[in-house]
């Protein structure tokens, strides 16, 4: 993985010093709250429902064991002993004191981390496929490009006060695990003429109150033009994006209002001026960054592991874990292991300091000290020998980290909701917990198959409900929590926005309603091989509406 | 058309402590405390305005941030709305690792 | 002492006047709006004193690109410090249109934005925020001077990758 050089280290330390100065000025009264707010946001500090919340950047979701241990330490020393992994591959601490944040950031800098640009109207933490560098279906490793973009976007002198936040996602496999079509810029790395790396470029996707799927503005952008093209997009957006209405300020609205053709032309015109100049990306630099992401030295092994097969035959729980939480690795004899942060009945994405330490330890023992954070709020150990999965499973199981539910109905995404978030209108976590308990039976989960439930506690859609196969949106109706159900959303290479199925359900009815939807699916599917999304796309909303609103 | 004035509901003043960020309520003595039940409750609009004005002074003096008046139930001595009750009492879900 | 000159690292008196559109131009350096320039272009350019242009965030150089170097001063007004359009305009003035005169940032500028402004090509600052003025005067700006992208200001290529820069 990427390691800071002296330049990066100096940069981060200077930034910590700068923020220390800003916090001191705020506490002394030199800065008012209005003046301080954008400065703290640019450093990831929010004022949430209960306290200050710090959002730490985990660039494209990649962590080392050493970094994870530091996060565990911070959870204990500066917070209440836990953290929340988010849908943007970040980590949030919910209870930090403002006066101590500069010290906390200095500790983070010791392990080459920061909280820079995890909020504010700037280019946010760049996200990527959480299986990058390991997945069998990968064509181009997106991490070097995500790293280059991370660097280029750091305190960008032109793009730090944009109309609104700006999110870039990169993927490099045909199956899109990074949801690039619902980002401000989505980059899909491909091999072009002569095997050279380039990008299909998508612009103007996003969720929030106006979910829109991005438009493809380029089929193939040569690698060397990556930064110049992004700068062109950002410049057009910075100058033309709406600033009169916060809710219409994202680039998706600009693209929607002006039309794809006009925006694409504006981007191309700006790009023509920038191409081949100072932002040209030299091949040698790409190679130097890519070298950091060279695969660890993996052994030549047989495709199947006799040890694992024997252990599976003797242990049904292990067999289930492997079936659901282990994905094909590009290297024979290895697997990509999903560590579930969705134990039955627990808040999705939360991990205690002790659990973080366990993951750091097992990553060290079994996965070359590498950990990934997925936007599905799980952790991933990217390079595990199949032979060692039984030992890994046993260790994870001891700490409630081996729930065999990756991709199943209890692998629920949920935002923090009204339990933590100042913007929320309704709670998300308790609904996720009750759904998880309702479907706790693993045999039933397996019968239901692939199903993504995503819950947001307000229209800002941090819980990605628009792209859930089943999405729940919490709203406040005269002081009562109400949940709207959307069906048919998806955030992969066949992205679609879920459709609102009808009036919302009160909190004591919503779990029954979701179960009713699932029962309808089970009743009408062609067979177990037709998953929920495919079945929904085949039959449409009507059968589900009929079941949910039979009495209406 | 002028809207009919809403009937007044009792309120208390809440904010976040500037240094720590924690949720605090303003007491009769002008202190800011974590315990919502110790909040001073305004039973009429004039009192509510006085209390909020005093709280805003504390904001300007960099003691608290985002002071607001929230509807308060004088019986339970807790906020009326779910959001404000969660602010006053903490998340409705268990803190991970606390059990 | 209202305008900070970046090269001299000091505040100085403002030599420029900023007359309203319906006011007669005073003697000496005067900065005018884009609307006035478009209306009275010929007369203004014939005038025998330095001419400046004031743009408010939201206005662009459209239609006057080729006239920019007739100005000795371009002043960009930040309406709110969160409105980042002037950064793009500054870079375009310098990099795209080759503007060589003074580029001044006017408005509620926080000291934390100053490095961004300088990197975007501004070389004069007219802040209204007391703390910013004091920090500039006393040279007390805590900032970052390792950069990860080329910008407008002349800087050293340093740091091992094409996109990295240090102050010149």
């Amino acid at each position: 993985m990427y390691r800071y050089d002296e330049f990066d280290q100096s940069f981060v330390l200077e930034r910590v010093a700068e923020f220390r100065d800003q916090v001191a000025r705020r506490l002394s009264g030199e800065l008012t709250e209005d003046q301080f707010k954008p400065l703290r946001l640019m450093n990831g500090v929010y004022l949430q429902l209960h306290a200050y919340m710090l959002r730490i950047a985990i660039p494209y979701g990649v962590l080392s064991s050493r970094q994870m241990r530091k996060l565990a330490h911070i959870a204990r020393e500066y917070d209440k002993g836990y953290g929340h992994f988010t849908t943007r591959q970040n980590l949030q601490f919910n209870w930090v004191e403002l006066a101590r944040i500069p010290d906390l950031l200095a500790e983070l800098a010791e392990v080459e981390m920061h909280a820079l640009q995890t909020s504010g109207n700037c280019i946010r933490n760049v996200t990527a496929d959480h299986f990058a560098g390991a997945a069998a279906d990968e064509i181009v490793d997106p991490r070097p490009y995500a790293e280059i973009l991370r660097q280029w976007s750091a305190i960008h002198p032109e793009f730090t006060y944009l109309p609104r936040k700006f999110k870039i996602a990169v993927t490099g496999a045909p199956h899109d695990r990074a949801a690039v079509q619902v980002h401000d810029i989505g980059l899909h790395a491909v091999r072009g003429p002569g095997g050279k790396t380039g990008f299909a470029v998508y612009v103007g996707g996003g969720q929030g109150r106006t979910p829109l799927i991005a438009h493809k503005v380029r089929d193939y952008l040569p690698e060397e033009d990556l930064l110049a093209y992004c700068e062109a997009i950002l410049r057009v957006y910075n100058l033309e994006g709406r600033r009169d209405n916060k809710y219409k300020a994202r680039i998706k609205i600009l693209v929607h209002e002006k039309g794809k053709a006009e925006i694409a032309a504006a981007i191309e015109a700006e790009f023509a001026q920038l191409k081949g100049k100072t932002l040209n990306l030299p091949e040698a630099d790409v190679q130097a960054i890519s070298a950091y992401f060279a695969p660890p030295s993996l052994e030549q092994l047989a495709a199947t592991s006799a040890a694992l097969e024997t252990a599976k035959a003797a242990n049904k729980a292990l067999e289930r874990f492997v079936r659901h939480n282990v994905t094909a690795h590009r290297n024979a004899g290895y697997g990509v292991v999903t560590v579930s942060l969705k134990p039955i009945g627990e808040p999705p994405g939360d991990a205690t300091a002790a659990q973080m330490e366990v993951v750091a330890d097992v990553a060290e023992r079994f996965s070359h000290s590498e950990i990934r954070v997925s936007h599905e709020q799980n952790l991933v150990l990217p390079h595990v020998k199949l032979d060692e999965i039984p030992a890994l499973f046993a260790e994870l199981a001891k700490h409630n980290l081996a729930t065999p539910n990756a991709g199943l109905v209890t692998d629920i995404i949920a935002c923090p909701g009204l339990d933590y978030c100042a913007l929320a209108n309704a709670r998300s976590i308790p609904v996720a917990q009750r759904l998880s308990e309702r479907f706790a039976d693993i045999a039933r989960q397996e019968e239901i198959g692939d199903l993504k439930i995503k819950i947001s506690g307000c229209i800002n859609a941090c819980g990605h409900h628009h792209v859930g196969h089943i999405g729940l949106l919490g709203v406040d109706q005269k002081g009562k929590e109400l949940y709207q159900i959307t069906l048919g959303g998806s955030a992969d290479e066949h992205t679609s926005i879920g459709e609102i199925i009808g009036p919302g359900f009160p909190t004591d009815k919503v779990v029954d309603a979701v179960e009713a939807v699932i029962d309808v699916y089970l009743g009408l599917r062609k067979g177990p091989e037709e998953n929920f999304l495919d079945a929904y796309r085949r039959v449409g909303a009507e059968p589900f509406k009929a079941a949910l609103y039979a009495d209406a | 058309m002028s809207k009919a004035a809403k009937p007044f509901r009792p309120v208390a003043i809440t904010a976040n402590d500037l240094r720590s960020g924690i949720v605090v309520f303003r007491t009769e003595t002008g202190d800011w405390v974590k315990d919502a039940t110790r909040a001073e409750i305004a039973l009429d609009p004039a009192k509510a305005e006085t209390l909020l004005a005093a709280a805003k002074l504390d904001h300007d003096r960099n003691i608290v941030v985002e002071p607001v008046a929230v509807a308060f139930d004088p019986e339970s001595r807790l906020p009326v709305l779910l959001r404000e009750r969660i602010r006053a009492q903490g998340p409705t879900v268990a803190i991970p690792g606390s059990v | 002492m209202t305008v900070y000159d970046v090269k001299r690292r000091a505040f100085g008196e403002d030599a420029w006047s900023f007359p309203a559109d319906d006011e007669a131009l005073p003697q000496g350096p005067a900065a005018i709006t884009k609307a006035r320039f478009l209306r009275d272009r010929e007369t203004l350019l014939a005038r025998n004193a330095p001419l400046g242009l004031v743009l408010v965030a939201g206005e662009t150089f459209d239609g006057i690109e080729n006239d920019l170097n007739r100005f000795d001063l371009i002043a960009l007004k930040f309406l709110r410090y969160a409105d980042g359009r002037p950064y793009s305009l500054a870079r375009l003035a310098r990099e795209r249109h080759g503007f060589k005169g003074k580029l001044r940032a006017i408005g509620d500028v926080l000291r934390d934005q100053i490095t961004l402004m300088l990197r975007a090509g501004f070389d004069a600052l007219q802040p209204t925020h007391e703390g910013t003025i004091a920090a500039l005067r006393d040279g007390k700006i805590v900032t970052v001077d390792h950069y990860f992208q080329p910008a407008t200001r002349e800087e050293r290529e340093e740091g091992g990758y094409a996109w990295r820069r240090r102050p010149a």
Side-chain angles (χ1 to χ4, degrees):
Chain A
M1 59 187 282
Y2 185 71
R3 296 300 311 261
Y4 279 12
D5 55 27
E6 228 171 278
F7 194 96
D8 298 283
Q9 198 65 40
S10 307
F11 167 83
V12 170
L13 291 176
E14 285 167 359
R15 184 63 170 182
V16 172
E18 185 183 45
F19 190 59
R20 197 181 286 283
D21 176 61
Q22 290 165 353
V23 170
R25 280 152 59 206
R26 174 69 188 107
L27 294 176
S28 76
E30 186 199 320
L31 288 177
T32 65
E33 187 60 19
D34 281 350
Q35 290 162 339
F36 180 60
K37 192 172 173 182
L39 304 178
R40 67 166 158 77
L41 288 177
M42 221 71 84
N43 286 278
V45 182
Y46 282 77
L47 183 58
Q48 281 294 14
L49 201 57
H50 305 290
Y52 292 107
M53 181 268 276
L54 178 68
R55 184 181 291 151
I56 291 168
I58 300 174
Y60 36 93
V62 176
L63 272 179
S64 68
S65 290
R66 178 167 157 261
Q67 291 173 324
M68 186 66 111
R69 286 203 184 93
K70 178 61 91 177
L71 295 175
H73 163 78
I74 288 170
R76 270 201 197 95
E77 293 301 316
Y78 295 86
D79 204 271
K80 295 191 176 182
Y82 70 105
H84 176 76
F85 290 96
T86 77
T87 52
R88 299 213 67 255
Q89 300 179 307
N90 291 320
L91 177 66
Q92 292 177 179
F93 287 119
N94 297 298
W95 307 93
V96 293
E97 289 184 26
L98 178 62
R100 295 186 72 202
I101 292 177
D103 288 343
L104 190 167
L105 294 178
E107 292 220 38
L108 268 187
E110 288 171 17
V111 295
E112 308 173 17
M113 295 185 78
H114 58 65
L116 211 59
Q117 292 171 216
T118 55
S119 178
N121 294 334
C122 52
I123 302 170
R124 301 287 190 90
N125 186 32
V126 178
T127 55
D129 181 355
H130 47 269
F131 291 164
D137 66 346
E138 181 171 283
I139 292 168
V140 178
D141 186 344
R143 292 171 300 166
Y145 304 99
E147 173 58 26
I148 289 167
L149 288 166
R150 180 192 75 82
Q151 296 197 18
W152 162 78
S153 64
I155 319 186
H156 196 294
E158 186 177 347
F159 307 135
T160 296
Y161 293 91
L162 295 167
R164 199 75 180 85
K165 59 188 167 184
F166 201 91
K167 301 173 181 176
I168 304 177
V170 198
T171 194
H175 178 48
D176 175 11
R177 287 172 288 261
V180 302
Q181 292 183 48
V182 284
H183 281 79
D184 296 288
I185 295 179
L187 297 167
H188 201 140
V190 291
R191 295 269 183 230
K196 280 191 169 295
T197 299
F199 304 89
V201 183
Y202 295 84
V203 172
Q207 301 191 50
R209 72 185 57 216
T210 317
L212 289 167
I213 297 172
H215 293 277
K216 199 193 228 183
V217 291
R218 267 283 181 128
D219 287 318
Y220 183 78
L221 178 77
E223 173 188 277
E224 62 176 8
D225 294 328
L226 177 63
L227 295 182
Y229 202 81
C230 287
E231 187 134 315
I233 295 170
L234 264 300
R235 182 169 287 163
V236 168
Y237 172 54
N238 189 43
L239 285 170
E240 297 188 27
R242 286 181 62 173
R243 291 177 187 265
D244 59 327
N245 180 342
K246 177 181 170 181
Y247 301 116
K248 298 193 172 186
R250 294 288 291 270
I251 194 174
K252 64 188 174 188
I253 303 292
L254 180 68
V255 175
H256 184 69
E257 287 181 352
K258 298 236 171 180
K260 177 195 158 181
E262 190 179 329
I263 288 299
I267 293 167
E268 290 294 335
E270 187 59 39
F271 171 62
Q273 301 271 356
L274 296 171
K275 180 178 163 56
K277 296 185 182 161
T278 54
L279 282 166
N280 199 58
L281 197 53
E283 205 176 329
D285 286 357
V286 176
Q287 278 172 6
I289 296 286
S290 298
Y292 284 106
F293 299 96
S297 54
L298 303 179
E299 295 168 37
Q300 297 286 327
L301 298 169
T304 51
S305 151
L308 178 59
E309 294 309 312
T310 312
K312 269 163 50 180
N315 183 345
K316 180 71 180 160
L318 172 65
E319 189 276 323
R320 282 201 155 110
F321 179 78
V322 172
R323 190 142 38 94
H324 300 300
N325 292 33
V326 179
T327 309
H329 196 283
R330 56 156 66 151
N331 206 84
Y334 284 80
V336 183
V337 174
T338 296
V339 175
S340 174
L341 294 182
K342 318 288 177 68
I344 299 303
E346 297 293 332
D350 280 6
T352 63
Q355 286 178 317
M356 292 181 206
E357 278 161 352
V358 168
V359 173
D361 289 348
V362 294
E364 209 162 66
R365 276 173 67 196
F366 301 111
S367 181
H368 297 264
S369 298
E370 264 196 52
I371 303 156
R372 306 287 172 73
V373 180
S374 76
H375 80 269
E376 285 152 344
Q377 301 178 289
N378 289 313
L379 300 176
V380 173
L381 301 174
H383 311 291
V384 182
K385 253 190 235 175
L386 296 180
D387 288 347
E388 296 187 328
I389 285 180
L392 167 63
F393 171 72
E395 197 56 35
L396 289 174
K398 275 189 227 163
H399 303 277
N400 211 12
L401 291 165
T403 312
N405 60 352
L408 297 179
V409 59
T410 60
D411 188 5
I412 298 166
I413 287 183
C415 71
L418 192 55
D419 282 299
Y420 290 97
C421 179
L423 299 174
N425 294 320
R427 286 172 291 172
S428 303
I429 297 170
V431 176
Q433 288 174 313
R434 284 187 285 125
L435 280 166
S436 169
E437 280 158 0
R438 177 71 60 94
F439 293 100
D441 176 8
I442 183 67
R444 188 174 180 205
Q445 292 186 53
E446 288 177 337
E447 193 204 343
I448 295 165
D450 287 349
L451 181 52
K452 294 183 193 297
I453 298 183
K454 307 192 184 203
I455 309 173
S456 302
C458 79
I459 193 61
N460 291 306
C462 295
H464 295 182
H465 67 277
H466 294 302
V467 292
H469 300 169
I470 299 177
L472 298 180
L473 166 64
V475 297
D476 172 74
Q477 199 182 55
K478 295 180 184 150
K480 293 264 183 278
E481 294 165 295
L482 203 71
Y483 296 86
Q484 273 180 2
I485 297 182
T486 55
L487 298 179
S490 174
D492 60 7
E493 62 281 14
H494 307 293
T495 295
S496 54
I497 304 296
E499 300 165 75
I500 297 173
I501 186 102
F505 292 87
T507 188
D508 58 346
K509 296 275 185 337
V510 66
V511 174
D512 293 339
V514 170
E515 191 173 33
V517 166
I518 291 173
D519 285 343
V520 170
Y521 154 67
L522 291 173
L524 60 70
R525 70 182 179 186
K526 287 178 171 170
E529 68 289 345
E530 188 182 44
N531 68 27
F532 179 90
L533 187 61
D534 291 339
Y536 180 81
R537 284 175 174 168
R538 176 171 59 82
V539 304
E542 283 316 317
F544 299 95
K545 280 187 185 169
L548 284 177
Y549 304 107
D551 309 333
Chain B
M1 290 243 305
S2 67
K3 273 189 186 169
K6 273 190 186 169
F8 179 79
R9 294 213 288 186
V11 295
I13 309 296
T14 181
N16 293 76
D17 178 69
L18 170 64
R19 290 185 74 84
S20 69
I22 56 167
V23 175
V24 285
F25 294 85
R26 199 169 188 281
T27 68
E28 272 174 36
T29 51
D31 297 315
W32 292 94
V33 299
K34 284 196 250 182
D35 182 358
T37 63
R38 290 176 56 198
E40 178 170 17
I41 302 176
L43 296 170
D44 60 74
K47 181 72 176 172
E49 242 168 73
T50 313
L51 293 185
L52 192 57
K56 283 185 173 152
L57 280 180
D58 285 346
H59 171 270
D60 296 343
R61 289 161 55 214
N62 303 303
I63 296 168
V64 295
V65 287
E66 299 189 4
V68 284
V70 294
F72 225 71
D73 174 17
E75 291 288 303
S76 65
R77 301 196 66 82
L78 283 173
V80 174
L81 293 176
L82 175 65
R83 178 185 195 274
E84 295 306 325
R85 277 205 306 279
I86 294 174
R87 268 188 90 246
Q89 298 182 302
T92 64
V93 295
I95 299 280
S98 65
V99 224
Chain C
M1 295 296 176
T2 53
V3 179
Y4 184 81
D5 186 285
V6 174
K7 215 168 277 167
R8 293 193 302 110
R9 298 183 185 209
F11 278 95
E13 290 299 342
D14 192 353
W16 290 86
S17 57
F18 294 82
D21 275 2
D22 53 1
E23 235 177 290
L25 287 195
Q27 295 287 313
I32 48 151
T33 64
K34 181 176 170 181
R36 186 169 191 169
F37 178 73
L38 288 173
R39 193 184 65 204
D40 301 334
R41 182 175 178 278
E42 302 311 320
T43 338
L44 288 165
L45 290 178
R47 186 169 167 271
N48 199 11
L51 191 63
L53 174 72
V54 186
L55 284 193
V56 179
E59 290 187 293
T60 67
F61 298 128
D62 290 357
I64 54 169
E65 297 95 334
N66 298 325
D67 286 325
L68 291 194
N69 268 316
R70 313 290 284 268
F71 298 106
D72 293 281
L73 169 80
I74 295 178
L76 300 179
K77 273 193 176 167
F78 285 71
L79 291 175
R80 297 174 301 120
Y81 62 87
D83 186 336
R85 287 176 288 191
Y87 297 101
S88 286
L89 284 182
R91 296 197 68 186
L92 287 172
R94 295 282 195 216
E95 293 181 50
R96 185 79 32 92
H97 308 303
F99 177 65
K100 300 283 190 303
K102 275 279 177 207
L103 196 52
R104 184 192 294 188
I106 301 179
D108 178 18
V109 171
L110 294 182
R111 63 165 93 164
D112 315 275
Q113 297 176 295
I114 286 169
T115 302
L116 306 182
M117 292 181 173
L118 305 190
R119 298 201 68 216
F122 287 102
D123 57 1
L125 307 170
Q126 192 176 350
T128 52
H129 185 248
E130 283 305 320
T132 306
I133 292 167
L136 277 169
R137 193 184 51 225
D138 306 336
K140 271 200 192 152
I141 297 208
V142 180
T143 186
V144 173
D145 66 4
H146 290 72
Y147 315 129
F148 286 94
Q149 60 293 108
T152 303
R153 181 174 74 173
E154 206 164 304
E155 292 167 346
R156 268 186 297 145
E157 289 186 30
E158 188 183 310
Y161 299 103
W163 54 86
R164 293 184 175 182
R165 295 290 185 275
R166 293 298 310 276

